[in-house]
mmCIF file of all heavy atoms in Angstrom:
data_model
loop_
_atom_site.group_PDB
_atom_site.id
_atom_site.type_symbol
_atom_site.label_atom_id
_atom_site.label_comp_id
_atom_site.label_asym_id
_atom_site.label_seq_id
_atom_site.Cartn_x
_atom_site.Cartn_y
_atom_site.Cartn_z
ATOM 1 N N ASP A 289 -91.923 22.372 58.582
ATOM 2 C CA ASP A 289 -92.876 22.973 59.513
ATOM 3 C C ASP A 289 -94.053 22.042 59.768
ATOM 4 O O ASP A 289 -94.540 21.901 60.890
ATOM 5 C CB ASP A 289 -93.387 24.308 58.964
ATOM 6 C CG ASP A 289 -92.334 25.405 59.003
ATOM 7 O OD1 ASP A 289 -91.296 25.208 59.679
ATOM 8 O OD2 ASP A 289 -92.538 26.451 58.354
ATOM 9 N N GLU A 290 -94.532 21.413 58.714
ATOM 10 C CA GLU A 290 -95.675 20.508 58.840
ATOM 11 C C GLU A 290 -95.383 19.348 59.780
ATOM 12 O O GLU A 290 -96.242 18.909 60.540
ATOM 13 C CB GLU A 290 -96.056 19.980 57.457
ATOM 14 C CG GLU A 290 -97.309 19.109 57.445
ATOM 15 C CD GLU A 290 -97.679 18.657 56.040
ATOM 16 O OE1 GLU A 290 -97.194 19.270 55.070
ATOM 17 O OE2 GLU A 290 -98.450 17.689 55.927
ATOM 18 N N GLU A 291 -94.126 18.862 59.753
ATOM 19 C CA GLU A 291 -93.737 17.737 60.602
ATOM 20 C C GLU A 291 -93.197 18.180 61.957
ATOM 21 O O GLU A 291 -92.966 17.335 62.840
ATOM 22 C CB GLU A 291 -92.669 16.895 59.894
ATOM 23 C CG GLU A 291 -93.120 16.249 58.600
ATOM 24 C CD GLU A 291 -94.174 15.170 58.831
ATOM 25 O OE1 GLU A 291 -94.243 14.628 59.960
ATOM 26 O OE2 GLU A 291 -94.930 14.866 57.882
ATOM 27 N N GLY A 292 -92.986 19.481 62.130
ATOM 28 C CA GLY A 292 -92.426 19.967 63.385
ATOM 29 C C GLY A 292 -90.938 19.689 63.530
ATOM 30 O O GLY A 292 -90.407 19.671 64.647
ATOM 31 N N TRP A 293 -90.246 19.494 62.412
ATOM 32 C CA TRP A 293 -88.803 19.204 62.448
ATOM 33 C C TRP A 293 -88.036 20.524 62.601
ATOM 34 O O TRP A 293 -88.291 21.491 61.882
ATOM 35 C CB TRP A 293 -88.344 18.522 61.168
ATOM 36 C CG TRP A 293 -88.969 17.174 60.935
ATOM 37 C CD1 TRP A 293 -89.521 16.337 61.854
ATOM 38 C CD2 TRP A 293 -89.109 16.523 59.662
ATOM 39 N NE1 TRP A 293 -89.994 15.193 61.265
ATOM 40 C CE2 TRP A 293 -89.744 15.270 59.910
ATOM 41 C CE3 TRP A 293 -88.750 16.838 58.360
ATOM 42 C CZ2 TRP A 293 -90.028 14.363 58.894
ATOM 43 C CZ3 TRP A 293 -89.033 15.939 57.348
ATOM 44 C CH2 TRP A 293 -89.658 14.714 57.614
ATOM 45 N N LEU A 294 -87.075 20.547 63.505
ATOM 46 C CA LEU A 294 -86.253 21.728 63.701
ATOM 47 C C LEU A 294 -85.245 21.879 62.560
ATOM 48 O O LEU A 294 -84.734 20.891 62.039
ATOM 49 C CB LEU A 294 -85.516 21.650 65.036
ATOM 50 C CG LEU A 294 -86.358 21.767 66.301
ATOM 51 C CD1 LEU A 294 -85.505 21.534 67.534
ATOM 52 C CD2 LEU A 294 -87.036 23.130 66.380
ATOM 53 N N TYR A 295 -84.948 23.118 62.213
ATOM 54 C CA TYR A 295 -83.979 23.406 61.168
ATOM 55 C C TYR A 295 -83.424 24.796 61.386
ATOM 56 O O TYR A 295 -83.942 25.581 62.197
ATOM 57 C CB TYR A 295 -84.617 23.316 59.777
ATOM 58 C CG TYR A 295 -85.806 24.224 59.601
ATOM 59 C CD1 TYR A 295 -85.648 25.551 59.177
ATOM 60 C CD2 TYR A 295 -87.107 23.777 59.851
ATOM 61 C CE1 TYR A 295 -86.739 26.388 59.023
ATOM 62 C CE2 TYR A 295 -88.199 24.602 59.698
ATOM 63 C CZ TYR A 295 -88.010 25.915 59.288
ATOM 64 O OH TYR A 295 -89.081 26.743 59.142
ATOM 65 N N TYR A 296 -82.342 25.120 60.676
ATOM 66 C CA TYR A 296 -81.827 26.486 60.680
ATOM 67 C C TYR A 296 -81.163 26.781 59.345
ATOM 68 O O TYR A 296 -80.836 25.864 58.575
ATOM 69 C CB TYR A 296 -80.865 26.741 61.849
ATOM 70 C CG TYR A 296 -79.547 26.005 61.790
ATOM 71 C CD1 TYR A 296 -78.393 26.642 61.342
ATOM 72 C CD2 TYR A 296 -79.442 24.681 62.219
ATOM 73 C CE1 TYR A 296 -77.167 25.985 61.312
ATOM 74 C CE2 TYR A 296 -78.229 24.013 62.189
ATOM 75 C CZ TYR A 296 -77.095 24.670 61.734
ATOM 76 O OH TYR A 296 -75.893 24.012 61.703
ATOM 77 N N THR A 297 -80.974 28.067 59.063
ATOM 78 C CA THR A 297 -80.368 28.520 57.804
ATOM 79 C C THR A 297 -79.415 29.678 58.112
ATOM 80 O O THR A 297 -79.372 30.189 59.225
ATOM 81 C CB THR A 297 -81.446 29.011 56.816
ATOM 82 O OG1 THR A 297 -82.087 30.170 57.377
ATOM 83 C CG2 THR A 297 -82.499 27.943 56.567
ATOM 84 N N ARG A 298 -78.634 30.070 57.116
ATOM 85 C CA ARG A 298 -77.815 31.299 57.143
ATOM 86 C C ARG A 298 -76.807 31.344 58.288
ATOM 87 O O ARG A 298 -76.429 32.415 58.737
ATOM 88 C CB ARG A 298 -78.725 32.536 57.212
ATOM 89 C CG ARG A 298 -79.606 32.731 56.003
ATOM 90 C CD ARG A 298 -80.747 33.665 56.274
ATOM 91 N NE ARG A 298 -81.675 33.082 57.244
ATOM 92 C CZ ARG A 298 -82.803 33.639 57.629
ATOM 93 N NH1 ARG A 298 -83.161 34.820 57.131
ATOM 94 N NH2 ARG A 298 -83.596 33.048 58.504
ATOM 95 N N GLU A 299 -76.348 30.188 58.724
ATOM 96 C CA GLU A 299 -75.350 30.143 59.788
ATOM 97 C C GLU A 299 -74.244 29.156 59.429
ATOM 98 O O GLU A 299 -74.491 28.136 58.782
ATOM 99 C CB GLU A 299 -75.987 29.712 61.124
ATOM 100 C CG GLU A 299 -77.009 30.674 61.680
ATOM 101 C CD GLU A 299 -77.597 30.182 63.000
ATOM 102 O OE1 GLU A 299 -76.859 29.559 63.789
ATOM 103 O OE2 GLU A 299 -78.798 30.407 63.228
ATOM 104 N N VAL A 300 -73.044 29.436 59.878
ATOM 105 C CA VAL A 300 -71.874 28.547 59.883
ATOM 106 C C VAL A 300 -71.333 28.263 58.478
ATOM 107 O O VAL A 300 -70.170 28.504 58.182
ATOM 108 C CB VAL A 300 -72.177 27.211 60.599
ATOM 109 C CG1 VAL A 300 -70.917 26.337 60.613
ATOM 110 C CG2 VAL A 300 -72.699 27.453 62.004
ATOM 111 N N PHE A 301 -72.178 27.706 57.605
ATOM 112 C CA PHE A 301 -71.688 27.185 56.322
ATOM 113 C C PHE A 301 -71.760 28.276 55.251
ATOM 114 O O PHE A 301 -72.798 28.497 54.629
ATOM 115 C CB PHE A 301 -72.509 25.961 55.909
ATOM 116 C CG PHE A 301 -72.521 24.880 56.955
ATOM 117 C CD1 PHE A 301 -73.634 24.666 57.738
ATOM 118 C CD2 PHE A 301 -71.387 24.098 57.180
ATOM 119 C CE1 PHE A 301 -73.656 23.682 58.711
ATOM 120 C CE2 PHE A 301 -71.393 23.111 58.150
ATOM 121 C CZ PHE A 301 -72.524 22.906 58.925
ATOM 122 N N ASP A 302 -70.626 28.949 55.047
ATOM 123 C CA ASP A 302 -70.587 30.077 54.124
ATOM 124 C C ASP A 302 -70.227 29.620 52.705
ATOM 125 O O ASP A 302 -69.928 28.448 52.468
ATOM 126 C CB ASP A 302 -69.603 31.138 54.611
ATOM 127 C CG ASP A 302 -68.181 30.596 54.754
ATOM 128 O OD1 ASP A 302 -67.553 30.329 53.716
ATOM 129 O OD2 ASP A 302 -67.703 30.443 55.896
ATOM 130 N N LEU A 303 -70.238 30.567 51.803
ATOM 131 C CA LEU A 303 -69.938 30.288 50.388
ATOM 132 C C LEU A 303 -68.723 31.111 49.975
ATOM 133 O O LEU A 303 -68.833 32.133 49.304
ATOM 134 C CB LEU A 303 -71.142 30.630 49.511
ATOM 135 C CG LEU A 303 -72.384 29.754 49.680
ATOM 136 C CD1 LEU A 303 -73.525 30.270 48.814
ATOM 137 C CD2 LEU A 303 -72.081 28.313 49.338
ATOM 138 N N PHE A 304 -67.535 30.630 50.377
ATOM 139 C CA PHE A 304 -66.328 31.381 50.064
ATOM 140 C C PHE A 304 -65.227 30.468 49.526
ATOM 141 O O PHE A 304 -64.853 30.563 48.359
ATOM 142 C CB PHE A 304 -65.849 32.140 51.306
ATOM 143 C CG PHE A 304 -64.825 33.196 50.990
ATOM 144 C CD1 PHE A 304 -65.178 34.343 50.299
ATOM 145 C CD2 PHE A 304 -63.512 33.051 51.385
ATOM 146 C CE1 PHE A 304 -64.235 35.316 49.985
ATOM 147 C CE2 PHE A 304 -62.558 34.015 51.096
ATOM 148 C CZ PHE A 304 -62.921 35.151 50.397
ATOM 149 N N TYR A 305 -64.705 29.564 50.355
ATOM 150 C CA TYR A 305 -63.655 28.641 49.921
ATOM 151 C C TYR A 305 -64.134 27.864 48.685
ATOM 152 O O TYR A 305 -65.228 27.288 48.700
ATOM 153 C CB TYR A 305 -63.329 27.692 51.071
ATOM 154 C CG TYR A 305 -62.390 26.557 50.737
ATOM 155 C CD1 TYR A 305 -61.067 26.798 50.389
ATOM 156 C CD2 TYR A 305 -62.819 25.232 50.788
ATOM 157 C CE1 TYR A 305 -60.205 25.752 50.092
ATOM 158 C CE2 TYR A 305 -61.967 24.184 50.505
ATOM 159 C CZ TYR A 305 -60.654 24.446 50.155
ATOM 160 O OH TYR A 305 -59.803 23.402 49.873
ATOM 161 N N PRO A 306 -63.348 27.821 47.611
ATOM 162 C CA PRO A 306 -63.897 27.372 46.330
ATOM 163 C C PRO A 306 -63.958 25.869 46.118
ATOM 164 O O PRO A 306 -64.431 25.435 45.074
ATOM 165 C CB PRO A 306 -62.910 27.980 45.326
ATOM 166 C CG PRO A 306 -61.608 28.012 46.056
ATOM 167 C CD PRO A 306 -61.974 28.341 47.485
ATOM 168 N N SER A 307 -63.516 25.059 47.086
ATOM 169 C CA SER A 307 -63.364 23.629 46.793
ATOM 170 C C SER A 307 -64.375 22.756 47.519
ATOM 171 O O SER A 307 -64.145 21.573 47.740
ATOM 172 C CB SER A 307 -61.934 23.180 47.127
ATOM 173 O OG SER A 307 -61.603 22.008 46.429
ATOM 174 N N TYR A 308 -65.510 23.336 47.896
ATOM 175 C CA TYR A 308 -66.595 22.568 48.502
ATOM 176 C C TYR A 308 -67.599 22.102 47.447
ATOM 177 O O TYR A 308 -67.643 22.615 46.329
ATOM 178 C CB TYR A 308 -67.356 23.426 49.515
ATOM 179 C CG TYR A 308 -66.683 23.633 50.835
ATOM 180 C CD1 TYR A 308 -66.521 24.915 51.351
ATOM 181 C CD2 TYR A 308 -66.218 22.566 51.588
ATOM 182 C CE1 TYR A 308 -65.914 25.124 52.575
ATOM 183 C CE2 TYR A 308 -65.606 22.768 52.814
ATOM 184 C CZ TYR A 308 -65.465 24.043 53.300
ATOM 185 O OH TYR A 308 -64.865 24.242 54.513
ATOM 186 N N GLY A 309 -68.461 21.183 47.864
ATOM 187 C CA GLY A 309 -69.535 20.706 47.002
ATOM 188 C C GLY A 309 -70.664 21.690 46.832
ATOM 189 O O GLY A 309 -71.593 21.434 46.057
ATOM 190 N N ASP A 310 -70.627 22.819 47.556
ATOM 191 C CA ASP A 310 -71.595 23.884 47.281
ATOM 192 C C ASP A 310 -70.940 25.046 46.536
ATOM 193 O O ASP A 310 -71.501 25.581 45.587
ATOM 194 C CB ASP A 310 -72.294 24.373 48.564
ATOM 195 C CG ASP A 310 -71.342 24.780 49.671
ATOM 196 O OD1 ASP A 310 -70.126 24.855 49.434
ATOM 197 O OD2 ASP A 310 -71.830 25.029 50.791
ATOM 198 N N THR A 311 -69.692 25.414 46.912
ATOM 199 C CA THR A 311 -69.070 26.581 46.289
ATOM 200 C C THR A 311 -68.565 26.308 44.873
ATOM 201 O O THR A 311 -68.789 27.109 43.967
ATOM 202 C CB THR A 311 -67.903 27.094 47.152
ATOM 203 O OG1 THR A 311 -67.049 25.994 47.493
ATOM 204 C CG2 THR A 311 -68.414 27.743 48.417
#
Side-chain angles (χ1 to χ4, degrees):
D289 288 347
E290 185 178 342
E291 297 293 337
W293 297 338
L294 291 174
Y295 57 87
Y296 68 99
T297 64
R298 296 162 294 183
E299 295 180 35
V300 182
F301 304 105
D302 59 71
L303 292 176
F304 194 70
Y305 172 66
S307 202
Y308 283 129
D310 53 9
T311 49

